[in-house]
Amino acid sequence: MKPIEIAKGIYDVGVNDWNIDDFHGYSTPLGTSYNAFLILDEKVTLVDTVKKEFADQLIANIAQIVDPRTIDYVISNHTEMDHSGSLTRVMHRIGEDKPVYCSRMGAKNLALHFAPKLNYQPVKDGQELSLGHRTLSFLETRMVHWPDSMFTYLKEDKILFSSDGFGQHYAGFEKFDDVVGHTIMPHAKKYFANILLLYGPLILKLIEKVVQMGLEIKMICPDHGVIWRTAPEKIIDAYVGWSKQTPKRKAVLVYDTMWHSTERMAESIAAGLSAEGIQVRPMYLRKWHRSDIMTEVLDAKAVVVGSPTLNNGLFPTVSDFLTYMKGLKPVGKIGAAFGSYGWSGEAAKLITQELEAMKFDIIEPVRQQYVPSDAALEESFAFGQAIGRNINAQVPA
Ligand code: FEO
């Protein structure tokens, strides 16, 4: 398939990874894409490369437009190997002496990933590079989401090459937001919740800086998924809201169970939350992937976590989820724990400690021994109601 010309003289030469279903712990049922862009000008320029396994496909895509040896400049916006894994092989084909423009941290980190050393040309924030008729401007975006990350802005065409920013794990021949339609937004939200959530304050500062610079953006080209060309401000506004973690009257109720007792508690607690008008769905950890649960956590006010006690500890799937959520640093949440137990019953206390460590506002846990009676389930229902009233008191309708 011939690469798509996304604007005059600018081609998407990236690849689709149809079969990937786990991206370092993030479920990707629709696969993903590694986007790379070729700009034809006096200086032919390649923006980003792809994952190592797709090097030949990238080179073949480029070769449909130009002889790869005619590429003059390569831009590396980000060191992570889904975008740089093929760099050494691609440079071997293009010419190892050709400059690779990257941030200062990019030059350092690329050298720590790949040997032999390439002709890295570190650029500063705001530095420009003339391609002849067009100009690239580099925007450092340190820790959004690696120390080396940067955006590249094509001034004359008003195109922002945004690396991981505004990406979605989505493989498809449809390369534009208006072609895919509104169904792309949940993928963008999941991407934010699982990759960028902990950098929300930095993202807000970055967007403020872009606004102050008066940067006009006609098109945003991320390195994953579709290109935003119809209304780039829509995804920028969504990023502002997600970065602020503005909550809804919503709870995430996540649990695992051994003999259905914690499950019965979960369903009663969810019913109690719902009775208070809270949006909630019990999410069983052997049905729901941790990354889908995190997407729900993004705009929830409360996270309610249940585990049976297993060998004086937490059920392993619950530990897994708590570790994952802790790393993503959600803020401003109410936290509550529950669980059934046989004799020692440490799980609810251990969950509470983890939620406290995440600086959640804690509601005291409920525990039930062995199989919950009808009266015990009423207690769980009332626990759900109490959490629901707490949410309603803090979140405007
Ligand atoms: Fe898509 Fe941070 O790599």
Side-chain angles (χ1 to χ4, degrees):
M1 187 177 164
K2 192 167 183 205
I4 297 170
E5 188 173 27
I6 62 164
K8 191 160 177 51
I10 304 170
Y11 293 85
D12 176 7
V13 288
V15 301
N16 280 312
D17 186 350
W18 301 102
N19 291 334
I20 188 169
D21 60 3
D22 185 306
F23 189 97
H24 60 46
Y26 171 144
S27 72
T28 52
L30 296 181
T32 193
S33 68
Y34 312 111
N35 301 341
F37 302 94
L38 187 70
I39 306 169
L40 304 187
D41 206 314
E42 285 173 16
K43 297 292 183 187
V44 178
T45 301
L46 176 65
V47 180
D48 291 325
T49 63
V50 299
K51 205 173 174 182
K52 187 177 181 180
E53 300 90 301
F54 297 90
D56 288 345
Q57 204 175 323
L58 170 65
I59 292 165
N61 288 347
I62 294 168
Q64 290 188 66
I65 310 298
V66 293
D67 179 342
R69 287 171 301 184
T70 64
I71 291 177
D72 298 287
Y73 299 153
V74 173
I75 312 297
S76 172
N77 280 318
H78 180 27
T79 306
E80 194 164 7
M81 284 195 279
D82 50 332
H83 309 297
S84 69
S86 62
L87 185 63
T88 308
R89 182 159 168 69
V90 169
M91 293 312 291
H92 182 68
R93 188 74 174 77
I94 292 174
E96 280 155 355
D97 57 331
K98 303 279 178 72
V100 177
Y101 292 94
C102 52
S103 68
R104 283 167 293 175
M105 286 303 288
K108 191 175 162 196
N109 291 349
L110 285 167
L112 290 169
H113 277 72
F114 307 111
K117 198 171 177 300
L118 297 165
N119 180 14
Y120 300 124
Q121 294 293 323
V123 293
K124 291 181 187 159
D125 187 47
Q127 190 172 325
E128 296 190 345
L129 176 68
S130 173
L131 307 184
H133 300 289
R134 295 175 166 112
T135 316
L136 295 178
S137 175
F138 302 106
L139 181 62
E140 229 181 303
T141 60
R142 190 177 279 224
M143 295 320 298
V144 181
H145 72 125
W146 273 27
D148 47 75
S149 298
M150 69 174 192
F151 290 174
T152 296
Y153 179 64
L154 186 58
K155 289 175 80 172
E156 292 75 9
D157 298 83
K158 300 178 174 53
I159 295 176
L160 184 69
F161 298 102
S162 60
S163 185
D164 281 328
F166 311 110
Q168 335 90 48
H169 282 312
Y170 174 86
F173 294 117
E174 308 81 5
K175 289 306 296 185
F176 296 101
D177 55 344
D178 52 303
V179 180
V180 177
H182 66 276
T183 56
I184 199 62
M185 282 309 272
H187 299 288
K189 182 182 175 188
K190 180 173 177 179
Y191 192 93
F192 185 95
N194 287 276
I195 304 280
L196 298 170
L197 182 64
L198 65 166
Y199 304 114
L202 290 174
I203 291 167
L204 288 174
K205 274 190 192 159
L206 178 62
I207 290 173
E208 200 181 309
K209 181 178 163 183
V210 167
V211 170
Q212 279 171 359
M213 287 166 71
L215 215 63
E216 198 184 332
I217 299 171
K218 277 194 176 164
M219 192 184 282
I220 299 176
C221 297
D223 276 354
H224 297 289
V226 303
I227 292 163
W228 305 95
R229 71 174 177 186
T230 38
E233 61 279 6
K234 194 175 156 197
I235 186 66
I236 294 172
D237 287 349
Y239 263 51
V240 170
W242 295 334
S243 296
K244 289 178 179 169
Q245 296 190 45
T246 310
K248 295 179 180 169
R249 288 186 166 185
K250 171 179 169 181
V252 169
L253 194 153
V254 52
Y255 72 97
D256 209 325
T257 194
M258 289 169 68
W259 295 107
H260 302 290
S261 295
T262 302
E263 179 182 48
R264 294 188 68 197
M265 291 177 73
E267 288 171 2
S268 294
I269 294 165
L273 280 155
S274 181
E276 295 297 324
I278 304 300
Q279 180 190 333
V280 64
R281 170 188 291 276
M283 302 185 91
Y284 175 40
L285 275 161
R286 277 180 274 173
K287 170 181 166 71
W288 292 90
H289 194 273
R290 64 171 90 80
S291 53
D292 291 315
I293 299 171
M294 263 322 292
T295 311
E296 297 304 319
V297 168
L298 176 60
D299 54 8
K301 181 62 186 172
V303 183
V304 187
V305 183
S307 175
T309 296
L310 175 66
N311 302 330
N312 305 107
L314 294 175
F315 202 79
T317 51
V318 178
S319 295
D320 173 278
F321 172 71
L322 288 169
T323 300
Y324 188 71
M325 180 167 69
K326 192 178 192 175
L328 287 163
K329 296 188 173 62
V331 296
K333 309 291 184 197
I334 295 167
F338 66 96
S340 161
Y341 67 100
W343 48 100
S344 56
E346 290 92 339
K349 188 176 168 193
L350 292 168
I351 293 168
T352 302
Q353 285 170 355
E354 287 294 315
L355 298 176
E356 276 173 345
M358 294 179 224
K359 299 188 170 55
F360 285 15
D361 287 338
I362 300 298
I363 292 178
E364 284 305 304
V366 293
R367 301 185 311 159
Q368 300 293 340
Q369 192 167 18
Y370 291 115
V371 178
S373 63
D374 288 348
L377 291 176
E378 278 176 27
E379 190 188 341
S380 290
F381 182 86
F383 179 64
Q385 284 184 301
I387 299 167
R389 284 195 290 273
N390 211 313
I391 294 170
N392 287 333
Q394 294 189 49
V395 180

